[in-house]
């Protein structure tokens, strides 16, 4: 079809897939079948910066012609060390923490699935694939976004609200970022508090919850 396939792995590399290698690992696709892979080191790796992966010809072209490559500062040595150590742990190549990387990946998948399913059971409408550590909850009404964010802040819950132009104006959302370090108590507390906020702001639009409320009225 004469087009390039560009995959943004900002939220998947280091988190998705059995080995934590991102979308290609998750869907069992050979990375060489993707023309351009982009990712960040600010999330799963706890560092800064990012990367572009592709053919040698593509990378050489970007190095010469991309303003970001020509004018940006090089990554500092401590940041590179953080990226390298995180990557070794995820890949199971760190001798001192040989199993910790896989354990964190497994725990992250369990936490993400538990939290997303919990939101649905409460009556919220969510997006995203099962197991994704980024769980978007639809707010719809732009006026409810700052209210939701403030209510979460009161309860010591950190969230990210996203609206137009990043999303269509009527599909604004709040984004929960799940971690392998979250305990079951952390997740249950968040679900309990979000449920209260959802009742307060009338955000429970899931069909099953609407059907239950209709039966109660009858």
């Amino acid at each position: 079809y004469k087009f390039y396939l560009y995959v943004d792995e900002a939220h998947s590399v280091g988190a998705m897939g059995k080995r934590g290698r991102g979308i290609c690992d998750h869907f069992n696709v050979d990375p060489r079948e993707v023309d351009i892979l982009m990712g960040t080191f600010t999330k799963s790796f706890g560092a800064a910066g990012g990367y572009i992966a592709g053919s040698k010809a593509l990378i050489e072209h970007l190095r010469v012609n991309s303003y970001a490559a020509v004018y940006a500062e090089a990554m500092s040595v401590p940041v590179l060390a953080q990226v390298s150590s995180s990557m070794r742990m995820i890949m199971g190549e760190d001798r001192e923490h040989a199993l910790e990387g896989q354990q964190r990946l497994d725990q992250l998948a369990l936490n993400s699935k538990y939290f997303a399913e919990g939101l649905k059971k409460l009556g919220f409408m969510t997006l995203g694939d099962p197991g994704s550590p980024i769980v978007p909850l639809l707010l719809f009404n732009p006026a409810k976004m700052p209210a939701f964010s403030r209510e979460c802040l009161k309860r010591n819950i950190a969230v990210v609200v996203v609206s137009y132009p990043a999303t269509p104006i009527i599909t604004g959302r709040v984004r929960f970022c799940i971690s392998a370090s979250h305990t079951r108590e952390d997740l249950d507390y968040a679900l309990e508090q979000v449920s209260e906020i959802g009742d307060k702001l009338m955000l429970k639009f899931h069909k099953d919850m609407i059907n239950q409320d209709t039966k109660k009225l009858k």
Side-chain angles (χ1 to χ4, degrees), residues 13-163:
V13 67
M16 297 290 290
K18 293 181 179 180
R19 299 170 296 174
R21 298 185 180 185
I23 290 297
C24 292
D25 189 23
H26 181 69
F27 290 106
N28 196 28
V29 174
D30 188 340
R32 288 174 293 187
E33 294 183 18
V34 181
D35 298 299
I36 306 170
L37 285 165
M38 183 279 286
T40 177
F41 296 131
T42 62
K43 296 179 173 66
S44 297
F45 301 92
Y51 66 88
I52 293 283
S55 67
K56 183 178 180 181
L58 171 69
I59 300 305
E60 289 181 348
H61 176 81
L62 291 175
R63 282 175 173 164
V64 174
N65 295 282
S66 171
Y67 289 108
V70 174
Y71 295 109
E73 295 289 338
M75 294 172 66
S76 65
V77 173
V79 172
L80 288 171
Q82 171 66 21
V83 173
S84 178
S85 62
S86 297
M87 191 171 293
R88 288 199 308 273
M89 181 178 291
I90 291 171
M91 297 177 69
E93 296 178 357
D94 188 329
R95 294 181 180 179
E96 294 182 9
H97 308 279
L99 300 177
E100 187 174 344
Q102 190 59 52
Q103 290 171 350
R104 286 175 179 261
L105 290 170
D106 294 340
Q107 188 61 50
L108 177 60
L110 287 172
N111 285 354
S112 302
K113 185 177 180 181
Y114 178 82
F115 189 77
E117 289 181 351
L119 290 176
K120 290 180 181 178
K121 289 177 182 178
L122 290 171
F124 293 105
M125 293 183 68
T126 62
L127 300 173
D129 292 326
S132 171
I134 307 301
V135 184
L137 185 156
L138 290 171
L139 301 179
F140 296 107
N141 189 334
K144 293 183 179 181
M145 297 184 65
F148 190 97
S149 179
R150 285 195 294 268
E151 289 295 329
C152 285
L153 183 61
K154 290 178 185 177
R155 295 164 167 82
N156 296 319
I157 300 174
V159 297
V160 179
V161 289
V162 186
S163 64

Side-chain angles (χ1 to χ4, degrees), residues 183-197:
T183 64
R184 186 57 58 91
E185 290 75 19
D186 292 334
L187 300 176
D188 287 338
Y189 172 78
L191 288 169
E192 178 184 353
Q193 298 302 313
V194 171
S195 180
E196 291 181 7
I197 299 170

